[in-house]
Structures are given as C-alpha cells and as structure tokens.
Amino acid sequence: MGVRMLSMIANAKQLLKLNSIHTRNQSDVPKGHIAVYVGEIQRKRFVVPISYLNHPSFQDLLKRAEEEFGFNHPMGGLTIPCKEDAFINLTSQLHAS
C-alpha cells in the first residue's frame, strides 16, 4: 500500500514537472486553469485546474498566501508560500479524488 502511494506521488510529480516545463514555453494558460508559483525561497510555476480553488485544503494554502503577500505577488501571479513537495502531494490527492 505504501509503495503504491509512493509510486502515485512520483508519477504525479513527473506529470506536474512536465506540465510546468510545457507551460513555461507558452505565454498563456489553458482555459479552466490557473498558473501558481510555489515555494518558500525559489518559486516554481505550476498550472492547476481552477476547480482546485474550491477545495478546503487548497483554500488553506491561499489563506497563507494572502497572509504573507496580500495582493502584492512578486512573481506577477498567484504565489503560494509552501514547500514544493507539499504542494505536489496536495495536488496529487486532489487529482485522484
């Protein structure tokens, strides 16, 4: 069971990294998605479905972002101050549900 979960997380991580690389080469975000910058020090860009914004766990991250940055996001987009691995784990769970 634990091995399956690690495999699922690894696959989701690869998918998100590929998505991140792909979207960096595009100047726009696909319809129904939003670009977010994740990281405590170095920020990495991810593109996630806007449906994630309604999930309580994702809203907790948004509250942390509001507390830290207010409406002034230094990357020019939504910046979420959490560890990249924590964000990937959360989005993997949201994707699976």
Side-chain angles (χ1 to χ4, degrees):
M1 186 163 136
V3 174
R4 183 173 181 243
M5 182 65 145
L6 289 175
S7 175
M8 187 172 76
I9 290 171
N11 288 338
K13 198 181 248 189
Q14 289 175 343
L15 178 65
L16 286 170
K17 283 183 181 181
L18 288 173
N19 192 23
S20 177
I21 291 168
H22 177 69
T23 55
R24 258 188 253 141
N25 295 331
Q26 295 179 341
S27 61
D28 59 346
V29 176
K31 186 175 182 176
H33 291 73
I34 184 170
V36 295
Y37 295 89
V38 178
E40 295 177 320
I41 298 172
Q42 185 177 6
R43 312 276 190 237
K44 186 170 181 181
R45 184 175 188 246
F46 291 91
V47 175
V48 298
I50 58 172
S51 62
Y52 288 7
L53 298 176
N54 292 324
H55 194 278
S57 297
F58 203 90
Q59 288 179 355
D60 288 340
L61 290 179
L62 294 176
K63 287 177 187 172
R64 284 181 48 197
E66 179 183 17
E67 289 170 2
E68 186 162 331
F69 298 111
F71 292 106
N72 182 22
H73 292 270
M75 298 296 291
L78 181 58
T79 305
I80 299 178
C82 74
K83 293 183 179 181
E84 185 180 326
D85 288 341
F87 181 80
I88 290 171
N89 288 338
L90 172 64
T91 55
S92 297
Q93 291 171 4
L94 295 177
H95 181 71
S97 61

